[in-house]
Amino acid sequence: MSARFDDILDVVRSIYGDGPIALHRPVFEGNEKRYLIDCIDSNFVSSVGARVIEFEQKVAAFTGAKHAVATVNGTAALHVALQLAGVERDSEVITQALTFIATCNAVAYCGAHAVFVDVDRETMSLSPDALRTFLSEYAVHRDGLCYNRKTWRRIAACLPMHTFGHPARIKEIIAVCDEYGISVVEDAAESLGSYRDGLHTGRFGKLATLSFNGNKVITTGAGGMILTDDSELAARAKHITTTAKVPHPFEFVHDETGYNYRLPNLNAALGCAQMERLDEFLRIKADIAARYEAFFDANGMHFVTSPAGAVSNYWLNALVLDSRAERDAFLQYSNQRGVMTRPIWRLMTQLEMYSGCQHDGLDNSRWLEDRVVNIPSSVPDNALPALNP
């Protein structure tokens, strides 16, 4: 087994060199420092500043969304997006148990309850087939609303997540939810630069969110974004994330309970510089994924690639090993040798705060949890051409 592991580490080192290799590090080889200095010199370093608006415009233009509203992090974006979608206290949100905890935490922030439906093995994201099966068994309509016959709580929304940047079968998910009158919010935190049938992820539902955490394809240090084509929802998102303050030159009037969730100008300055290199980042990451794919195919191992009809950003490259025992052995072997790898997330149902949530058995989720590992996925040092001064 160690020989097989050494072969994997050799292909990683052929891309990244011999030093300690991070899983996914940020790359600051463009205008980041210059824009930060300009921001400091302007004295606008908090949530009011030209770079916030510029960053929102750049992300909206890249994704094709009509509106983008910047937030302090992706979890804050999810929290507000769910609230805008009609998620209320003691309602329910159908989502996946195979996800980063922020997905479920945002549901909990609304005072709502997560319900977990299985994923597809190919996409590692919410399965429309499992969703249809669950709803056909449990969904009941009352007064134009959808309720769960087991809990008699209203099913307010569905929250699929595009795992590691591989697009879910989102059109099918939305089609199922439309039949039952359930709103869809896309957790596109990991999928900036990913497309399904030529449309950027986050463009299918009424609302979607992105993340710009330090380990994402581009980073603002910490940051998130709400995407929507609905002008009224965009205005509400901006209002709620700016403490619900009524615009006035000097009076402090707030017309509802809001949140201090707007992205600071300093972070947005980083984002503007990162957006200038996004196309290059994506091209390099696609090249790295192609090298991995060729190696693993030649050696009879399962490397996760773009699903049919989709283009993935390959945010985190994923390898499916043969068993949990092999997964655990590889994680220990690689990390002890300076190559950072990690398992896919522990299922949300195995965490104490979500262990009592309703689920459908999660067979594929459990199968993937036992086998999937992430391998280094950063843009390598000096892979980018220098920018003109």
Side-chain angles (χ1 to χ4, degrees), residues 118-249:
D118 208 3
V119 299
D120 289 322
R121 288 192 188 183
E122 181 191 23
T123 65
M124 301 179 289
S125 298
L126 190 74
S127 167
D129 303 321
L131 177 63
R132 181 177 293 281
T133 298
F134 179 86
L135 289 172
S136 65
E137 181 175 356
Y138 290 105
V140 176
H141 280 95
R142 279 185 174 179
D143 302 323
L145 299 175
C146 186
Y147 288 84
N148 183 339
R149 71 167 71 245
K150 182 175 181 179
T151 63
W152 293 112
R153 290 191 284 252
R154 180 173 68 91
I155 302 175
C158 178
L159 181 58
M161 197 268 287
H162 301 289
T163 303
F164 302 143
H166 297 293
R169 293 159 59 194
I170 188 65
K171 284 185 176 180
E172 296 167 72
I173 291 170
I174 290 176
V176 173
C177 288
D178 283 349
E179 291 179 30
Y180 288 87
I182 299 171
S183 298
V184 175
V185 176
E186 288 180 70
D187 184 349
E190 302 170 358
S191 63
L192 181 65
S194 298
Y195 298 81
R196 167 67 74 174
D197 298 325
L199 195 64
H200 196 284
T201 53
R203 296 293 318 289
F204 295 86
K206 189 171 281 190
L207 291 152
T209 63
L210 298 170
S211 170
F212 306 108
N213 187 38
N215 66 350
K216 294 299 190 294
V217 176
I218 68 164
T219 183
T220 57
M225 196 79 78
I226 299 169
L227 302 179
T228 184
D229 287 344
D230 188 310
S231 298
E232 290 186 8
L233 286 178
R236 286 276 300 137
K238 187 171 182 179
H239 183 62
I240 292 171
T241 57
T242 317
T243 67
K245 183 180 183 296
V246 178
H248 192 280

Side-chain angles (χ1 to χ4, degrees), residues 11-53:
V11 73
V12 173
R13 293 191 182 103
S14 73
I15 297 169
Y16 294 103
D18 294 329
I21 300 170
L23 187 67
H24 199 290
R25 67 173 185 84
V27 176
F28 302 122
E29 296 181 9
N31 287 314
E32 288 84 1
K33 290 181 181 179
R34 182 161 71 88
Y35 290 176
L36 283 171
I37 291 170
D38 290 346
C39 189
I40 292 169
D41 289 343
S42 77
N43 289 323
F44 287 97
V45 297
S46 192
S47 58
V48 176
R51 290 295 184 185
V52 178
I53 303 303

Side-chain angles (χ1 to χ4, degrees), residues 92-112:
E92 292 183 345
V93 177
I94 297 174
T95 189
Q96 55 201 72
L98 192 71
T99 186
F100 180 58
I101 195 169
T103 306
C104 295
N105 283 349
V107 175
Y109 295 166
C110 295

